[in-house]
Structure formats: C-alpha cells, structure tokens
Amino acid sequence: MSDLLIVHSAGPNVTVQDRGRSGTLAYGLSRGGAMDRLALAEGAALLHQSDDLAVLEMAGVGGRFEATRDLRIALTGAEMRATLDGARLIWGASHLLPRGAVLDIGPVLSGVYGYLHVGGGIDTPQVLGARSAHLAAGLGRVLAAGDQLPLGADGGSATGNIVPRDTRFGGGVVRVVPSLQTELFPQDQLDRFVRTRFIRDTRANRMGVRLESAGEGFHVPGGLSVVSELIVPGDIQVTGDGAPFVLMAESQTTGGYPRIGTVLPCDLPRVAQTPAGAVLEFRFVTREDALEAERRYRSGVKALAGQIKPLVRDPHDIRDLLSYQLISGAIAGDEL
C-alpha cells in the first residue's frame, strides 16, 4: 500500500495547490496555483525541500488529517488553530506527524489562506503540468472526508524549526504600477484612488478580491467599451459600479473592464491574506522601483533557509514534560 494522507474532514475550501501552470495563457487558462506563493517558499524552507511540491491550501478553516507513515509537516500562511492528538502546535513551524496520530486544523486566527506542507509533497497526478486544483477551469476539486492523498518520497529528516512571521496578514499598503488603461482615468480619480482606504469585501475567492470604500466609485468615460484584452493576476479592474477588483490566481485571461493599475507580484500575498473588513491602500511606484522590489523579494525568498530557527516549545504545551531530558550532562551534588 502506498503512503497516504487521509482526510477525515475538510473545510469548504481545502484544495491541493502548487506553483500553478505556466504556458497555458494562450489556451485561455490562467496560472492558478497557491494564492500565497510566499507561504509555499516558507514551508519548503522549513522542510528543506523544493517549493514546487504540492501542498494543501486551506481557506478559512482546515480539517482533520492522518498519515499512514511518520510524516514531516510544516504549517505556514494564515495562522490557524492546530493540534496533534489534542496538543497545541505552533504555526509557522515544522513538526513530526507520527503514523496514526490525528492532526486537527481549525478556523483561521489571522489572514485567510493557511497551508499544510508534507515531507515529499502531495503526489496526486499532474494535469497540464501541475497538481493544482483550478476550480474556475474545472480542474480538480475541493477535498472532502474520505479522500486519500498519495505522498511523495521524503528524503529529509529535520523538524522542530520555525520561520520568521511577517506582516502580510492584516492588510496594509500595496504597491502598484500603471496598467494599460491607467491614463484613461482622470487625474483627480487617480489621486483619490491612492488616498482611499479600501475595505476588503466579503466577496472574494481564488478569482479575485473586491474592494469597497466610503466614497463614490471610480469611472472612466466610455470605460464599458474597452476592448477585451490580456489580463494577469494583480490587475485591478474597475467594474461597472466603480468598485476595484484585484484579480488573483484563478483570474480569467482576458477582460474588458478598465484597469486602474496592477499590483506588484511580490505584494499579491498581502492582498490574498487580507481578511474581510481589513484595510488596503494602494501606492503607485515607478517601473524601476517595482523591479527593485521584486529583486528584494526574490532575494528574501532565497534567504529563507538561512532564517529558520529551532522551535522552542512552551513547557505548558508539552503534556509528557517529565519524559524529556531537559539538562544534559548533569551530575549529582555528592559526586562533586
């Protein structure tokens, strides 16, 4: 029997994801893949493996899981309440999931998308070069109780490490560059756009994130007659009612709504992880500044492996504390 990750229960939006598909735009299929690609890199660094391996993406709530072999796991992205046979697990860290033990991942505590990584990756069949479910295109599906996911071979052994936590889980400032229709917007609307504090709407999914604001919407004269053309994740379309809509991993590949700007790829994880009701603000940057931001982001991803630290557990979370050898090499006082 092959090694399996057994799904005993799953939230409504748990899917297998990886870095997505490249080279499919010409066929009308967007890249897809994980909404927070930085979380993929964090898990790969914790487990010392490639970030091309497939993981479980959990939006809002996780599920209950069990493995048929001793399994290294890492938990990244939006923090969720996680326990192993009832004992609390630290998020943003790597752990050992013993064979037959039960991993429970509950509701999100901050952010939107949490990720469960496993040593060797999820080894479901590839479709068009990736294992990612692309729900908008009908590729793959959400997971359900009773699913059994094959596991890849794991050549590593390290667990008990933690990755530094960053600030992308509560909204904030997002950098954008001009898009093809930015100049169609009157200057006063562009000025108002960068002054506005947008609220992340509850209407959001893997296709895009809708934003609301207290003021009037944004409009382009003749905006509804824009010719449909290529669009990419990060484009900010302004719909007919004037609300901005940030396109995400499973966006369509063409569209006719005017685009007021495009979010830098390195800032898309922040948009993805901004919970409903949190504030996002936009700032235009130059092409040179955007390229430098992308270079810094990629350098930071490469440096993640060097930022991993040993996980120091809270003694209150260790139910079998007395079985641990807390001090090595101690001798009794009468032997001195």
Side-chain angles (χ1 to χ4, degrees):
M1 183 180 71
S2 61
D3 295 321
L4 301 170
L5 181 68
I6 301 170
V7 181
H8 291 301
S9 67
N13 296 292
V14 178
T15 57
V16 174
Q17 296 295 336
D18 54 20
R19 291 174 59 84
R21 297 167 175 85
S22 61
T24 59
L25 282 177
Y27 305 101
L29 180 64
S30 55
R31 182 198 74 212
M35 288 285 280
D36 182 354
R37 300 181 80 178
L38 179 54
L40 291 186
E42 291 170 339
L46 283 167
L47 296 177
H48 302 287
Q49 61 186 18
S50 171
D51 63 358
D52 288 329
L53 298 180
V55 306
L56 294 191
E57 179 180 271
M58 306 168 289
V61 66
R64 173 171 286 189
F65 309 96
E66 177 187 348
T68 61
R69 76 175 189 218
D70 288 350
L71 185 64
R72 296 188 308 138
I73 64 169
L75 305 169
T76 69
E79 183 178 0
M80 297 173 162
R81 183 176 179 85
T83 61
L84 177 59
D85 281 348
R88 186 73 176 268
L89 292 182
I90 301 297
W91 202 265
S94 59
H95 308 275
L96 177 66
L97 175 61
R99 175 182 177 182
V102 176
L103 172 66
D104 279 297
I105 301 179
V108 69
L109 301 175
S110 64
V112 179
Y113 294 94
Y115 294 85
L116 170 59
H117 310 248
V118 301
I122 304 295
D123 197 26
T124 50
Q126 289 193 359
V127 178
L128 298 179
R131 294 181 170 86
S132 285
H134 195 304
L135 304 180
L139 299 177
R141 58 175 175 80
V142 296
L143 299 183
D147 285 339
Q148 298 187 359
L149 306 175
L151 300 171
D154 183 12
S157 59
T159 58
N161 291 310
I162 193 166
V163 68
R165 189 85 171 157
D166 76 8
T167 62
R168 67 185 185 274
F169 303 98
V173 177
V174 174
R175 293 163 292 187
V176 300
V177 291
S179 188
L180 293 178
Q181 289 90 39
T182 300
E183 292 183 354
L184 299 180
F185 288 85
Q187 188 60 48
D188 65 317
Q189 293 210 39
L190 293 177
D191 293 340
R192 183 162 55 86
F193 177 73
V194 298
R195 293 196 307 265
T196 298
R197 289 167 56 86
F198 292 97
I199 305 298
R200 194 273 211 180
D201 199 303
T202 56
R203 288 168 286 184
N205 55 29
R206 287 180 48 80
M207 292 185 67
V209 173
R210 181 184 171 87
L211 303 173
E212 295 287 354
S213 62
E216 61 180 298
F218 300 84
H219 301 280
V220 168
L224 296 182
S225 63
V226 172
V227 175
S228 184
E229 58 189 353
L230 177 70
I231 56 177
V232 296
D235 280 347
I236 309 172
Q237 288 187 322
V238 176
T239 55
D241 61 0
F245 199 97
V246 184
L247 300 179
M248 301 301 288
E250 290 188 8
S251 67
Q252 67 274 30
T253 56
T254 61
Y257 286 120
R259 287 164 286 176
I260 199 167
T262 300
V263 176
L264 303 192
C266 60
D267 283 357
L268 275 179
R270 181 176 299 275
V271 178
Q273 294 289 13
T274 297
V279 174
L280 281 173
E281 298 178 81
F282 296 95
R283 298 288 183 270
F284 280 100
V285 298
T286 65
R287 180 176 182 272
E288 291 73 22
D289 287 343
L291 291 173
E292 178 58 28
E294 287 294 320
R295 281 193 289 267
R296 288 198 304 269
Y297 171 80
R298 294 178 185 181
S299 295
V301 167
K302 291 180 180 178
L304 278 173
Q307 298 175 15
I308 301 302
K309 303 295 183 183
L311 174 62
V312 179
R313 297 181 63 186
D314 185 339
H316 292 90
D317 292 332
I318 306 177
R319 294 183 299 177
D320 55 346
L321 178 61
L322 295 180
S323 69
Y324 283 74
Q325 182 180 354
L326 300 181
I327 301 176
S328 176
I331 58 177
D334 57 5
E335 295 180 4
L336 294 176

